[in-house]
Amino acid sequence: MNATGARRDAWLTWTTRAGGVVAGALTLLVFVFLVGETLPLFLKIPPHHLFVDARWSPRDGEIGLVPMMVGSALVTLGAMVLSTPTGIAVAALSAFFAPRGVAVVLRGVLGILAGVPSVVYGLWGLTVLVPLIHAVRAPGVSLLAAILVLALMILPTMALLADATFRAVPVDEMRAATALGLSRCAAVLHVALPRARTGLVTASILQVGRAVGETMAIIMVMGNTIQVPKGPFEPARALTSHIALEMAYALGDHRRGLFAAGLLLLVVVVGLVALVDRIESRHRLIA
Amino acid sequence: MNGAVDVPPAATHRAPILLAPDPGPRLQALERQKLVVQDLRVCYRGLPALQGVSFSADVGQITAIIGSSGCGKSSCLLALNRLAELVPGSGVAGRVLLDGVDVLQPSTNLTTLRRRIGMVFQKPTPFPLSIERNIAFPLREHGVRGPEIAARVRRALVAVGLWSEVKDRLRSSALALSGGQQQRLCIARAIALEPEVLLLDEPTSSLDPAAAQRVEALLSELKTSYAIVVVTHNLHQARRIADRTAFFTLEDGVGTLVELDDTARIFAGARDPRTRDYVEGRFG
């Protein structure tokens, strides 16, 4: 009994270790691959050129990623500004205010929405949202359309993560707040929110990662013009869309420029994950 | 059920052990008590958990509730400030008179009620805020404004003996306090609202002996200002701090009050054999 138990433990240890090594190696491999593909370009032009040059014209040797970086940053920022507070509000509704039955249904609906493929969100944006925006100001496909579609796409996951964080708030504390004669609202604002703060911050940072990496829904509604948009109604292009749209026919430095865009995305996402890790470990230290 | 106070014989019938043989003058005294509980019944999902509970508590006294686990002591306490109704499927019946007004009436303002009847739980429940904000924000929610807030925070911390320990770190997190300090902070938070009744549900059972002793001493000091009802598992504690002790037990699976008397009587000459068995450690 003891011997088989120990053997099973050893098995489990080695299987999980192997899994960990494979996962780590794959990430490293992707990184090495991206660097390897980009390196020849960096040897030809200084790397910072990519991030200060606003012109993208590979045939003339202009490999500037600035318009796409601005596009990605703006669409991510806009989507986060819209979806983070809304997601937290929806989660508070389901965790603290809605009757149990309603909360269960709400959670189910959010789960389904979180599973809808991004291309479907893009389809909806293209057929419903873009014509509406077009009616206000042409062309319709725009930074604004991408922000709205992306915000809507991110909202369900944000709400589900926030809901899980809220439901981890100790019942004792909420009861103690009620025992002090506090309203539900006051208890949520002063007890649940501070208690859930770390969880909410990490959830929203993870959503930034998703927003930065989203491709399909954005391609469909953003217009994809290579330019720094001067307003929300102008079309723009994100880094992800840029790679997806041009990779099929890119050669030489053109191709390497796209790999550089991929490398940039990877660095951003790794940075975000590291940030989450840091926040969580600091939180553990305090708790 | 209505008129139990107006018609003495009915009340006598309902709570035989509580009342003296001549119910007249005793009942009048009862009416003047801060908190009077009459025939309290609590059920969860239609199943009775507690029934036939009548007792009173007054300022200047600590009333201890003792009894084995699951005999409805906590349910009784939670019914008094109407926290029991937070449990889905719960029902509370009977009368809970605070200064003669039945708080179980639907018209009761719960915010006011819970300000007047403070409660402290078994596990310390400091909010994830600073020490000061733990006390100040409930005050603000109850409409206290301006310098009165700081004054009350200080008074409450002084009253629980925390002021000298925390006055230099009022803005640091309450979660960094020790268990005993956290529990005293919770008591301070409750008394800052200037309640009339203080309910405590096993307030020392998650504390180490030294911290428990401090809380006990504190309760003895506070009783001059509040009517205190404390649920405890610890018979020695009831003996040390309570003026009156109520013994609860399970009868056919339903919690009930067996008897309530001066603490000395309960421990040295209880009328009911079940009480004698329990305090002598024969069961529970």
Side-chain angles (χ1 to χ4, degrees):
Chain A
M1 170 66 205
N2 221 346
T4 50
R7 209 173 307 147
R8 215 180 301 144
D9 274 359
W11 252 103
L12 197 66
T13 311
W14 283 107
T15 322
T16 45
R17 261 183 212 169
V21 168
V22 169
L26 277 176
T27 314
L28 202 65
L29 220 63
V30 169
F31 191 74
V32 168
F33 174 70
L34 284 176
V35 170
E37 290 285 337
T38 321
L39 210 54
L41 182 66
F42 286 163
L43 294 176
K44 212 182 314 177
I45 58 163
H48 72 266
H49 243 242
L50 284 168
F51 312 118
V52 292
D53 194 347
R55 283 158 302 177
W56 174 267
S57 179
R59 232 184 302 172
D60 313 320
E62 306 275 12
I63 316 266
L65 290 174
V66 173
M68 280 64 80
M69 286 163 60
V70 172
S72 272
L74 287 179
V75 78
T76 302
L77 186 75
M80 290 311 295
V81 165
L82 290 180
S83 69
T84 308
T86 324
I88 292 174
V90 170
L93 181 73
S94 108
F96 299 118
F97 295 102
R100 193 172 292 201
V102 176
V104 168
V105 172
L106 185 59
R107 244 169 254 145
V109 170
L110 288 173
I112 293 168
L113 286 177
V116 170
S118 65
V119 66
V120 176
Y121 281 96
L123 204 58
W124 173 83
L126 195 60
T127 54
V128 178
L129 205 55
V130 169
L132 282 176
I133 295 174
H134 179 84
V136 180
R137 203 149 143 202
V141 283
S142 56
L143 184 63
L144 180 65
I147 286 175
L148 292 176
V149 167
L150 195 58
L152 198 73
M153 230 189 90
I154 282 176
L155 178 66
T157 321
M158 184 63 212
L160 284 173
L161 289 173
D163 177 65
T165 314
F166 278 143
R167 282 193 295 149
V169 171
V171 180
D172 292 351
E173 276 174 26
M174 295 303 280
R175 193 178 58 168
T178 312
L180 287 166
L182 301 177
S183 64
R184 201 81 179 137
C185 252
V188 168
L189 278 178
H190 295 282
V191 180
L193 266 185
R195 181 54 94 185
R197 198 179 55 195
T198 305
L200 296 177
V201 169
T202 53
S204 57
I205 293 175
L206 289 174
Q207 294 312 299
V208 175
R210 274 188 70 212
V212 169
E214 176 50 35
T215 313
M216 190 40 93
I218 288 181
I219 286 189
M220 293 170 79
V221 299
M222 204 165 160
N224 304 319
T225 312
I226 301 178
Q227 61 169 356
V228 174
K230 287 176 199 70
F233 291 99
E234 288 200 5
R237 183 183 280 200
L239 282 168
T240 47
S241 321
H242 188 53
I243 301 172
L245 289 166
E246 302 206 348
M247 204 60 194
Y249 60 86
L251 293 165
D253 284 350
H254 185 185
R255 190 179 134 94
R256 287 180 202 112
L258 297 179
F259 271 105
L263 188 62
L264 182 61
L265 285 169
L266 184 70
V267 168
V268 168
V269 170
V270 167
L272 290 171
V273 170
L275 189 63
V276 167
D277 201 53
R278 207 170 143 174
I279 290 172
E280 282 186 340
S281 65
R282 203 178 49 192
H283 182 66
R284 262 195 301 277
L285 264 180
I286 294 167
Chain B
M1 196 184 70
N2 277 329
V5 173
D6 308 327
V7 189
T12 323
H13 171 71
R14 201 158 281 126
I17 291 176
L18 245 185
L19 301 176
D22 170 24
R26 183 70 187 264
L27 198 68
Q28 279 175 357
L30 221 163
E31 259 194 303
R32 282 198 302 271
Q33 302 246 316
K34 179 54 78 180
L35 184 75
V36 179
V37 178
Q38 292 176 332
D39 194 25
L40 183 69
R41 281 159 286 147
V42 180
C43 61
Y44 297 111
R45 299 188 189 283
L47 296 172
L50 185 72
Q51 64 185 25
V53 172
S54 301
F55 68 94
S56 63
D58 207 358
V59 176
Q61 287 179 339
I62 295 180
T63 306
I65 298 179
I66 59 170
S68 42
S69 301
C71 66
K73 304 187 298 290
S74 297
S75 292
C76 174
L77 224 50
L78 291 170
L80 304 183
N81 64 352
R82 293 190 50 181
L83 271 189
E85 61 199 51
L86 293 183
V87 181
S90 65
V92 177
R95 308 221 295 169
V96 175
L97 305 174
L98 182 62
D99 283 337
V101 179
D102 188 0
V103 305
L104 296 185
Q105 296 294 326
S107 58
T108 303
N109 180 333
L110 292 178
T111 302
T112 312
L113 171 69
R114 289 166 186 160
R115 189 194 62 68
R116 295 180 66 193
I117 303 186
M119 187 161 198
V120 174
F121 298 91
Q122 175 175 358
K123 213 179 118 214
T125 48
F127 299 138
L129 306 168
S130 72
I131 294 167
E132 184 187 24
R133 286 243 300 154
N134 257 277
I135 303 174
F137 107 79
L139 286 172
R140 222 167 269 132
E141 293 295 321
H142 281 281
V144 182
R145 290 284 179 273
E148 172 73 3
I149 292 178
R152 284 223 216 171
V153 168
R154 186 186 167 139
R155 226 180 302 147
L157 286 172
V158 169
V160 300
L162 262 183
W163 179 253
S164 56
E165 293 165 45
V166 302
K167 64 174 191 286
D168 300 322
R169 47 175 177 142
L170 288 175
R171 279 165 208 283
S172 57
S173 172
L175 303 181
L177 296 173
S178 74
Q181 289 175 322
Q182 289 186 353
Q183 193 63 305
R184 282 186 286 145
L185 176 66
C186 290
I187 296 174
R189 198 168 62 188
I191 64 177
L193 295 173
E194 299 179 349
E196 294 148 51
V197 179
L198 204 51
L199 309 174
L200 302 105
D201 191 356
E202 300 190 31
T204 61
S205 63
S206 62
L207 305 183
D208 64 70
Q213 204 182 356
R214 288 218 59 164
V215 171
E216 279 184 18
L218 170 63
L219 293 182
S220 299
E221 280 169 34
L222 292 177
K223 77 175 182 187
T224 52
S225 320
Y226 310 95
I228 296 180
V229 182
V230 53
V231 165
T232 179
H233 255 118
N234 184 334
L235 293 180
H236 297 294
Q237 182 172 66
R239 219 167 177 164
R240 278 192 299 266
I241 64 171
D243 301 282
R244 302 196 308 150
T245 298
F247 172 62
F248 279 45
T249 196
L250 274 181
E251 207 169 72
D252 302 326
V254 184
T256 190
L257 171 63
V258 175
E259 68 179 298
L260 168 66
D261 213 327
D262 290 340
T263 299
R265 280 283 298 275
I266 289 285
F267 283 96
R271 273 169 288 178
D272 197 289
R274 289 171 295 178
T275 312
R276 287 199 294 271
D277 285 350
Y278 184 76
V279 298
E280 283 161 22
R282 272 198 275 270
F283 80 98

